[in-house]
Amino acid sequence: MRITLVSLSLLAACSSEANHLGNPLLLPISGLATAASNAIYSQRRGKVEVLVKSNHPALIAQINAGAGPILTQAMETAEIPVLDRPARIIQLQSDLGLYTANPGALVTALMVYGG
């Protein structure tokens, strides 16, 4: 009886209907994929953080000017699409006071813009 109940439960979980968990039989695989994705993101964020904090005054000046090699490097490291960069620079300029006082907020903004 228990084997039948467990089998029916597993089969019911494998429906084609959308749900927030996905197929429970694929959870170990999706867990590994998520862990790998998180590791890649953390590594990229670390590089952006080092770049921003190492060059903060110059980076703030380049954001204010609208261009510069450190700003370009920060955007490349954060993987901000080239076509999005002009709009993102305008957004960064609009919150320049925040980023001047808080380098961590600038790191977060760059990472959000990079996706």
Side-chain angles (χ1 to χ4, degrees):
M1 180 69 174
R2 280 189 175 172
I3 292 175
T4 305
L5 183 58
V6 170
S7 298
L8 286 174
S9 296
L10 287 175
L11 286 174
C14 296
S15 73
S16 61
E17 296 296 317
N19 63 54
H20 69 284
L21 294 176
N23 186 335
L25 299 177
L26 297 177
L27 284 178
I29 295 168
S30 61
L32 290 173
T34 300
S37 177
N38 287 344
I40 292 168
Y41 176 86
S42 294
Q43 183 178 22
R44 183 168 47 105
R45 183 181 175 90
K47 289 178 182 178
V48 171
E49 187 169 356
V50 167
L51 183 65
V52 168
K53 290 183 177 178
S54 299
N55 301 288
H56 189 251
L59 185 56
I60 293 298
Q62 290 178 17
I63 291 169
N64 194 33
I70 299 170
L71 178 57
T72 300
Q73 185 180 4
M75 291 187 150
E76 286 175 1
T77 305
E79 298 180 5
I80 298 172
V82 175
L83 295 175
D84 290 352
R85 291 180 187 178
R88 300 308 184 188
I89 290 171
I90 292 168
Q91 288 177 307
L92 291 171
Q93 288 171 334
S94 70
D95 291 323
L96 198 56
L98 170 64
Y99 304 135
T100 300
N102 188 345
L106 179 54
V107 171
T108 301
L110 291 170
M111 292 304 294
V112 167
Y113 298 155

